[in-house]
Amino acid sequence: MPSLRAIGTFLVLALLGSIASAQQNWPSKPIRILVPFAAGGNTDSIARVTAESLARKLNTSVIVENRPGANGALAAEAVMRAPADGYTLFMATAPQMAILPQLTKTKYDPLKDFEPISIVASNVFALAVGPSSSAHSLSEFVATAKAQPGKVSYASAGNGSVSHLSMAMFAQRAQLDMVHITYKGGAPALADVMAGHMPAYFANVPEVLPHMGGNRVRVLAVSSSKRLPQLPTVPTVSEAGYAGFQSATWNGLSAPAQTPKTIVHRIASELAALAKEPNFVAKMENLGVQVVCNTPAEFAAQLREDIGIWGEAIKTSGAKLE
């Protein structure tokens, strides 16, 4: 009779062989991408363009599943608890991964509970004012705010939102004393700016692009390192006198921790190939975002950097979760 050690060795080898076979045959069933917001938003649109393109590359179905709630934490927790087999992915955004865990206690650790795959796309912010505003440049806006310390307000999509923290960072940089007014999301904040009820809003670029025509909103500057192709005449905040100022958010695919590296790198390589396809790039740019499709290591490094950046912004703003 074979010894217990021999039987144990056989079972281990059989298990390893089964795991290796599963990885080699991946994907053999549909893949889910969980989105932390409701259908119809920009993250949802990015996820659907990505899913459609990955399905073609991987020759399998890629399904987008919206899982809103708890500022995106519900989707993150669901992915964290999913089997680490490459069939459940998370269309993560900077707020869930770099901001929310610093504002409140979450059940997940963004650095330990996920395998970063690739930042699919990024988008920056636009300092928007209404058509009735007297400010036609960033310098004019700053001069107006400085002349009325503590009296000029700005809208945000909520306490601790990227729009809030971006304006808080800019106000500190420009030495402005402004009043923060929170809204339940970007749409009502932008609506009040366009109606002239609020002086300014550091908006997500995709939010303002549909309203640029017809003199409904005026963008004074963008928070990117260089001008955007969608807004070529709008200067960056850095160009407008605040060198080095940047603020951006991103949408990136992550998987549960311990997902096999072979699967992680397979998805990342397919995304890198998509970044070279004009049709994929055009669809993303039409959403107001820039294609990134970087490596897992680059995604991990960006996440660590962002945790530091937004942590400082949270301290500066005094943001608290509503």
Side-chain angles (χ1 to χ4, degrees):
M1 290 182 63
S3 67
L4 290 177
R5 174 178 289 184
I7 293 173
T9 300
F10 173 79
L11 291 175
V12 168
L13 291 174
L15 177 60
L16 291 175
S18 176
I19 293 173
S21 177
Q23 292 179 31
Q24 289 172 359
N25 294 329
W26 183 93
S28 59
K29 62 181 183 179
I31 298 167
R32 293 187 305 156
I33 297 178
L34 268 61
V35 173
F37 305 116
N42 212 53
T43 296
D44 177 67
S45 297
I46 291 168
R48 291 181 188 280
V49 171
T50 303
E52 179 184 15
S53 301
L54 275 180
R56 171 170 50 83
K57 287 285 189 179
L58 297 172
N59 196 31
T60 192
S61 298
V62 181
I63 302 163
V64 172
E65 182 179 318
N66 299 91
R67 192 74 66 89
N71 296 300
L74 291 184
E77 291 166 13
V79 174
M80 175 189 70
R81 297 190 183 104
D85 55 10
Y87 291 104
T88 303
L89 307 177
F90 182 32
M91 183 54 80
T93 74
Q96 288 91 51
M97 304 299 271
I99 296 176
L100 188 62
Q102 301 191 77
L103 284 173
T104 187
K105 186 175 181 180
T106 56
K107 295 179 181 179
Y108 62 89
D109 183 316
L111 295 175
K112 295 179 180 178
D113 293 326
F114 302 92
E115 294 287 344
I117 297 172
S118 178
I119 293 177
V120 177
S122 69
N123 62 272
V124 297
F125 291 80
L127 183 52
V129 298
S132 61
S133 173
S134 61
H136 286 76
S137 68
L138 188 60
S139 60
E140 290 179 354
F141 175 81
V142 169
T144 299
K146 280 191 173 181
Q148 306 173 70
K151 295 183 179 180
V152 177
S153 55
Y154 68 91
S156 86
N159 266 318
S161 64
V162 183
S163 63
H164 172 206
L165 299 179
S166 295
M167 184 62 99
M169 287 195 298
F170 176 71
Q172 182 190 44
R173 181 72 182 276
Q175 298 181 323
L176 303 179
D177 179 10
M178 301 179 69
V179 180
H180 174 218
I181 306 296
T182 63
Y183 285 76
K184 293 183 177 179
L190 183 58
D192 265 10
V193 169
M194 291 191 294
H197 304 314
M198 287 296 299
Y201 170 45
F202 231 132
N204 224 310
V205 167
E207 288 178 314
V208 298
L209 284 179
H211 305 288
M212 292 293 289
N215 194 34
R216 287 178 290 176
V217 67
R218 186 183 309 138
V219 174
L220 304 181
V222 292
S223 66
S224 49
S225 60
K226 57 184 179 181
R227 295 194 183 197
L228 301 180
Q230 299 95 332
L231 299 171
T233 63
V234 177
T236 67
V237 175
S238 185
E239 282 181 304
Y242 301 90
F245 182 89
Q246 290 186 52
S247 175
T249 187
W250 41 257
N251 294 86
L253 281 181
S254 294
Q258 306 304 316
T259 297
K261 298 295 184 184
T262 53
I263 294 175
V264 168
H265 286 281
R266 169 77 187 282
I267 299 170
S269 67
E270 298 295 1
L271 287 169
L274 285 171
K276 298 176 182 178
E277 294 186 3
N279 187 48
F280 178 80
V281 173
K283 286 181 178 179
M284 289 296 185
E285 289 184 347
N286 285 340
L287 296 175
V289 300
Q290 291 74 54
V291 171
V292 179
C293 294
N294 57 5
T295 67
E298 288 168 336
F299 187 1
Q302 184 68 61
L303 177 56
R304 287 187 171 87
E305 180 181 347
D306 283 356
I307 288 172
I309 291 171
W310 295 120
E312 286 300 313
I314 290 168
K315 291 178 184 177
T316 296
S317 67
K320 295 180 180 180
L321 191 66
E322 295 176 317

